[in-house]
Amino acid sequence: MGQDASAGQPTDWRSYGPSPLPKILRGALGAFAEHGYQATSIRELATAAELSVPGLYHHYQSKQEILVSLLEIVYTELLDRSRAALASGGDDPLARFDASVESLLRFHMFRRAEAFVASTELRSLIPENRSRCVALRDEQQEILATTICDARKVYDTVTEHAGDAARALSTMCVGVATWYREDGPLSPDEIVKRYLGFARGLIGAAGQG
Amino acid sequence: MGQDASAGQPTDWRSYGPSPLPKILRGALGAFAEHGYQATSIRELATAAELSVPGLYHHYQSKQEILVSLLEIVYTELLDRSRAALASGGDDPLARFDASVESLLRFHMFRRAEAFVASTELRSLIPENRSRCVALRDEQQEILATTICDARKVYDTVTEHAGDAARALSTMCVGVATWYREDGPLSPDEIVKRYLGFARGLIGAAGQG
Amino acid sequence: MGQDASAGQPTDWRSYGPSPLPKILRGALGAFAEHGYQATSIRELATAAELSVPGLYHHYQSKQEILVSLLEIVYTELLDRSRAALASGGDDPLARFDASVESLLRFHMFRRAEAFVASTELRSLIPENRSRCVALRDEQQEILATTICDARKVYDTVTEHAGDAARALSTMCVGVATWYREDGPLSPDEIVKRYLGFARGLIGAAGQG
Amino acid sequence: MGQDASAGQPTDWRSYGPSPLPKILRGALGAFAEHGYQATSIRELATAAELSVPGLYHHYQSKQEILVSLLEIVYTELLDRSRAALASGGDDPLARFDASVESLLRFHMFRRAEAFVASTELRSLIPENRSRCVALRDEQQEILATTICDARKVYDTVTEHAGDAARALSTMCVGVATWYREDGPLSPDEIVKRYLGFARGLIGAAGQG
DNA sequence: GATGAATGAGATTTCATTCAT
DNA sequence: GATGAATGAAATCTCATTCAT
């Protein structure tokens, strides 16, 4: 109850299949991750999508539209998973906090390129598109701030500055996308473990739970 | 008392005057911060430097050279200040840790644009230039890792994974450059205070010192 | 009495119903009138015709074919009406001249867009198509030249240079399509009256008839 | 006195040297006259100017700017010559009328391509540029209307509709640019003579002077 | 060092047209 | 006839860079 899939949402926020991006966006993702949006030409995007240049324009009106489409999908998936994680934490504030952080971490490992591009290329969006994506990102961050606040209440540490802590914590987790490699020395589970330690310490809830 | 200048290094790692960049690099910094390296044209750089285009080429051989010159200066200043901060901490491991973090934070506030461009445009360097800059950055991070390790030894928390913690901590502090504004609601001192709290918690040394 | 239809020709060269163009050509006419042939895309033509792009190609083999089809219809209608007008003038040379001019004028008011496009886009036709249309136009102009010549004979003014006069006169009437508006200050009848005055003066037959 | 050149104005409105256009505009003129503005590519313009494409952009910011620059020069020369012609007519209304018409005619013969492009490509200007050129053209036409009015007063023909007559007359003269060839059967002087006949007839002042 | 002029290469985008369904 | 997808060619324009003066 409550964990059954509703309307195509990911049933399990911990499980990651292959990225569900359409071919063009998958190709664009790779190129943007490698050289950045500005340094990626339409030709590269077309090649990556195994299309001619006008073929690409048949699906998207502009390079900018490709970027927004990609980022909206990414931020939406992140938000969906964050919500699912939050819900899975039940009533225990610390469990909810842990789940939120873990979700953020896993996303930045299993959707490494997506997350990396989403954070580095926000600046490449035109204002209108950017604000839509920033809204999604902020909503996600708000979840984190709330769980921090709640967790701190229970363990009677300071409950102030939850927003600052959320931003710091978020930055820390987002940074994982910068260096994580599937074939690196640490397994995702191990990374989650270590970072959860960092995270609890950061909010002043270490040693508990 | 420990503040004596050594070899032209900044006497006080806490004090920031105006950025000592040559005019061309100062202009480039602004442009790169605003639009990114790729999206900035040589003409914009020349205009920002109040120079003609060939005049600019008189000083730097290429756009790439402008970027690498800028980033080397920035990373070098950061490293110098980190070393000075470290030294100012004397023999107390926790003081050394605090100083390292504080130095990192202050740099990302008072050299906001510099730090932002240095981290976002590393990718725009050609491999050879990039590795030189990465080496400087890594050296700075190594300082942090060492202080973490030392601090933990004293407070008998885990001494493993200091590298991970250093990376996480570093990411967190670097992120400050993304949002800090001189006219924002928080003073630099206040930010330092809060983040030092986060930092100590993160490495498991909260409540001490 | 002289108004009997011959071979589907318009009975009355003075009366104008809605333009009898097929839908595709009507749409093309509007687009060509507004932006010109070169600046009009096949997609615009398809949209204007409420057809898909391949649907449009089902009817016409190319953009060029659309243009030539349109222009041939227009020049043919103009020629037909000129002939009808001429015939309606009976044996009176001046009446024949007046009718020719009036017909030309009315066509350039009531088939304003058609006439405008026909004259401005002749140059956009490939040579083969152009020569067919030019032949039709020249035939029309020849009618005018003949009536000028005949009218002058009667009123013993110079009968030379009828070709020049025809061209000048024709240009003058064609120009009406450039500025005439249905909701303008002058009624078609009023315009005809004034221009007939100009025309008679031009050929040296003023004050007569 | 009065015929000496003042400030670079053409001393004699009847005499035409080679067109004083800068090389780029001269090349553009030829191309626009041949294929029209829309059908002329930047590459053709560059080739005609014996420049590379970016070389062309060094001098003009856009294709549109090339067109306006050209048209403004053309309309300005036409207006200057019209004023000079008017002045040369002294106090005699008919002489002033004749001079105005003759000036218009000569311009459309000796600046054939210029005049042709100026009239056919007005529509290719963006509104702002168009209105500037239209203002120049209208001023020229206003001169014609005034002379018509004055001439008619003297010969007690109708003085109404001078604006209509000016437009009709102007159109007629402009049309000369469509067909005039230097190596054609008629000399400029001969054409002027015939068209002056047409013009006087058109305004109802034939047989006089 | 400033200036004006120039360029090869390449950017994004649009074109007319076609084909399988 | 409609549709969606595709493409080679070409459009306008900008880039980093260079050179003579």
Side-chain angles (χ1 to χ4, degrees):
Chain A
M1 322 138 152
Q3 283 125 307
D4 54 318
S6 59
Q9 304 278 16
T11 319
D12 185 356
W13 55 270
R14 272 196 185 89
S15 105
Y16 283 82
S19 186
L21 294 172
K23 190 169 189 180
I24 293 180
L25 297 188
R26 184 148 58 252
L29 173 64
F32 292 161
E34 198 162 359
H35 321 111
Y37 174 78
Q38 291 273 4
T40 301
S41 77
I42 284 281
R43 255 183 187 81
E44 288 175 79
L45 295 180
T47 302
E50 295 181 284
L51 272 173
S52 67
V53 168
L56 198 155
Y57 274 95
H58 179 72
H59 298 274
Y60 295 91
Q61 287 187 5
S62 67
K63 197 181 160 188
Q64 172 77 198
E65 196 185 286
I66 292 177
L67 182 61
V68 217
S69 301
L70 176 59
L71 263 59
E72 279 191 330
I73 291 176
V74 173
Y75 277 116
T76 301
E77 187 188 350
L78 173 58
L79 185 53
D80 286 346
R81 286 183 183 270
S82 287
R83 285 176 177 147
L86 192 66
S88 77
D91 293 335
D92 178 4
L94 201 56
R96 289 164 68 90
F97 172 74
D98 283 356
S100 295
V101 174
E102 181 179 347
S103 169
L104 194 52
L105 286 167
R106 289 195 184 277
F107 190 83
H108 284 81
M109 291 187 285
F110 294 112
R111 294 285 183 263
R112 191 185 97 72
E114 287 85 343
F116 178 72
V117 169
S119 67
T120 53
E121 300 301 352
L122 259 185
R123 64 141 70 177
S124 303
L125 292 172
I126 58 172
E128 189 199 323
N129 293 336
R130 177 159 54 235
S131 52
R132 283 215 310 285
C133 287
V134 165
L136 292 170
R137 186 201 59 179
D138 286 352
E139 195 170 346
Q140 197 281 327
Q141 205 152 303
E142 186 55 32
I143 290 178
L144 204 56
T146 305
T147 63
I148 290 175
C149 208
D150 293 348
R152 279 172 162 177
K153 269 184 206 144
V154 174
Y155 297 94
D156 68 82
T157 21
V158 258
T159 56
E160 298 158 282
H161 319 322
D164 285 344
R167 189 160 48 192
L169 193 43
S170 184
T171 304
M172 189 180 93
C173 295
V174 167
V176 171
T178 309
W179 53 264
Y180 174 78
R181 301 292 119 116
E182 224 179 311
D183 56 356
L186 294 179
S187 72
D189 286 346
E190 183 60 28
I191 291 170
V192 165
K193 196 176 140 205
R194 292 188 190 179
Y195 269 72
L196 270 183
F198 299 157
R200 288 202 181 186
L202 195 152
I203 67 160
Q208 281 110 349
Chain B
M1 327 123 148
Q3 280 130 305
D4 53 315
S6 58
Q9 306 278 16
T11 320
D12 185 355
W13 56 269
R14 272 197 185 89
S15 106
Y16 282 82
S19 186
L21 293 171
K23 191 168 188 180
I24 293 181
L25 297 188
R26 184 149 58 252
L29 173 63
F32 292 161
E34 197 163 359
H35 320 111
Y37 173 78
Q38 289 275 359
T40 302
S41 75
I42 283 278
R43 259 175 186 84
E44 286 177 80
L45 295 180
T47 302
E50 295 181 280
L51 242 54
S52 68
V53 169
L56 196 153
Y57 274 97
H58 182 79
H59 296 277
Y60 296 91
Q61 286 187 6
S62 67
K63 196 180 161 189
Q64 173 76 201
E65 197 185 284
I66 292 176
L67 181 61
V68 73
S69 300
L70 175 61
L71 263 57
E72 279 189 330
I73 291 177
V74 173
Y75 278 117
T76 301
E77 187 189 351
L78 173 59
L79 185 53
D80 286 346
R81 287 184 184 269
S82 288
R83 284 175 176 148
L86 192 66
S88 77
D91 292 334
D92 178 3
L94 202 54
R96 289 165 68 88
F97 171 74
D98 283 356
S100 295
V101 173
E102 181 178 347
S103 168
L104 194 51
L105 286 167
R106 289 195 185 277
F107 189 82
H108 284 82
M109 291 186 284
F110 295 112
R111 294 284 182 265
R112 192 184 97 73
E114 287 85 344
F116 178 73
V117 169
S119 67
T120 53
E121 299 300 353
L122 259 185
R123 67 148 67 173
S124 302
L125 292 172
I126 60 173
E128 189 199 325
N129 293 336
R130 177 158 54 233
S131 50
R132 283 215 309 286
C133 287
V134 166
L136 292 168
R137 186 200 61 180
D138 286 352
E139 195 170 344
Q140 196 281 327
Q141 205 152 304
E142 186 55 31
I143 289 177
L144 203 56
T146 304
T147 64
I148 290 174
C149 207
D150 293 348
R152 278 172 163 176
K153 268 183 208 147
V154 174
Y155 297 92
D156 69 81
T157 20
V158 257
T159 56
E160 297 157 284
H161 320 323
D164 286 345
R167 190 159 47 192
L169 193 44
S170 183
T171 304
M172 191 179 91
C173 296
V174 168
V176 171
T178 308
W179 53 263
Y180 174 77
R181 298 293 117 116
E182 224 178 310
D183 56 355
L186 294 179
S187 71
D189 286 345
E190 182 61 29
I191 292 170
V192 166
K193 193 177 143 206
R194 291 189 191 179
Y195 269 72
L196 270 183
F198 299 157
R200 287 201 180 187
L202 193 153
I203 67 159
Q208 282 109 350
Chain C
M1 328 121 146
Q3 282 130 303
D4 54 313
S6 60
Q9 307 279 16
T11 320
D12 184 355
W13 56 270
R14 271 197 187 87
S15 107
Y16 282 82
S19 186
L21 293 171
K23 190 168 190 181
I24 293 180
L25 297 188
R26 184 150 57 251
L29 173 64
F32 292 161
E34 196 162 0
H35 320 110
Y37 174 78
Q38 289 274 359
T40 302
S41 75
I42 282 278
R43 259 174 186 83
E44 286 176 79
L45 295 180
T47 301
E50 296 181 281
L51 242 52
S52 67
V53 169
L56 195 152
Y57 275 97
H58 182 80
H59 297 275
Y60 296 91
Q61 286 186 8
S62 67
K63 196 180 160 188
Q64 172 76 201
E65 198 185 285
I66 292 176
L67 182 61
V68 73
S69 300
L70 175 61
L71 262 59
E72 279 189 330
I73 291 177
V74 173
Y75 278 116
T76 302
E77 187 188 351
L78 173 58
L79 185 53
D80 284 348
R81 287 183 183 268
S82 287
R83 285 176 176 146
L86 192 66
S88 77
D91 293 335
D92 178 3
L94 202 54
R96 289 165 68 89
F97 171 73
D98 283 356
S100 295
V101 173
E102 181 179 348
S103 169
L104 194 50
L105 285 166
R106 291 197 183 275
F107 189 82
H108 284 81
M109 291 186 284
F110 295 113
R111 294 284 182 264
R112 192 184 98 72
E114 286 86 343
F116 178 73
V117 169
S119 68
T120 54
E121 300 301 353
L122 258 185
R123 65 148 68 172
S124 303
L125 292 172
I126 60 173
E128 190 199 325
N129 293 336
R130 177 159 54 233
S131 50
R132 282 214 311 285
C133 288
V134 166
L136 293 168
R137 186 200 58 180
D138 286 351
E139 195 170 345
Q140 197 282 328
Q141 206 152 302
E142 187 53 33
I143 290 178
L144 203 57
T146 304
T147 63
I148 290 174
C149 207
D150 293 349
R152 279 173 161 174
K153 269 183 206 146
V154 175
Y155 298 92
D156 67 82
T157 22
V158 256
T159 57
E160 298 157 283
H161 320 322
D164 286 343
R167 190 160 45 192
L169 193 43
S170 182
T171 303
M172 191 180 90
C173 295
V174 167
V176 171
T178 308
W179 54 263
Y180 174 76
R181 300 291 117 117
E182 223 177 310
D183 55 355
L186 294 179
S187 72
D189 286 347
E190 182 61 29
I191 292 171
V192 166
K193 193 176 143 207
R194 293 188 190 179
Y195 268 71
L196 270 183
F198 299 157
R200 287 203 181 187
L202 194 154
I203 68 161
Q208 282 109 349
Chain D
M1 297 170 163
Q3 283 127 305
D4 52 316
S6 60
Q9 304 278 17
T11 320
D12 184 356
W13 56 269
R14 272 196 185 88
S15 106
Y16 282 82
S19 185
L21 293 172
K23 190 169 189 181
I24 293 180
L25 297 188
R26 182 149 59 254
L29 173 63
F32 292 161
E34 198 162 357
H35 321 111
Y37 174 78
Q38 290 274 4
T40 302
S41 77
I42 285 281
R43 254 183 189 78
E44 287 176 79
L45 295 180
T47 302
E50 295 181 284
L51 273 173
S52 66
V53 169
L56 198 155
Y57 275 96
H58 179 73
H59 297 274
Y60 296 91
Q61 286 186 8
S62 66
K63 196 181 159 187
Q64 172 76 200
E65 196 186 285
I66 292 177
L67 183 61
V68 219
S69 300
L70 175 60
L71 263 58
E72 278 191 330
I73 291 176
V74 173
Y75 278 116
T76 301
E77 188 188 350
L78 173 58
L79 184 54
D80 285 347
R81 287 183 184 270
S82 287
R83 285 175 176 149
L86 192 66
S88 77
D91 292 335
D92 178 4
L94 203 54
R96 289 165 68 88
F97 172 73
D98 283 356
S100 295
V101 173
E102 181 179 348
S103 169
L104 194 51
L105 286 166
R106 290 197 182 275
F107 190 83
H108 284 80
M109 291 187 284
F110 294 113
R111 295 283 182 264
R112 190 186 97 73
E114 287 85 342
F116 177 73
V117 169
S119 68
T120 53
E121 300 301 352
L122 259 186
R123 65 140 71 175
S124 302
L125 292 172
I126 59 172
E128 189 199 323
N129 293 336
R130 177 158 54 235
S131 52
R132 282 215 310 286
C133 288
V134 165
L136 292 169
R137 186 202 60 181
D138 286 352
E139 196 170 344
Q140 197 282 326
Q141 205 153 303
E142 186 55 31
I143 290 178
L144 204 56
T146 305
T147 64
I148 290 174
C149 208
D150 293 348
R152 280 173 161 175
K153 270 182 206 146
V154 174
Y155 297 93
D156 68 83
T157 21
V158 258
T159 56
E160 297 157 283
H161 319 322
D164 285 344
R167 190 160 48 193
L169 192 44
S170 184
T171 303
M172 189 180 94
C173 295
V174 168
V176 171
T178 308
W179 53 263
Y180 174 77
R181 300 292 120 117
E182 225 179 311
D183 57 355
L186 294 179
S187 73
D189 286 346
E190 183 59 29
I191 292 171
V192 166
K193 195 177 141 207
R194 293 189 190 179
Y195 268 73
L196 269 183
F198 299 158
R200 287 200 182 188
L202 194 152
I203 68 159
Q208 280 110 347

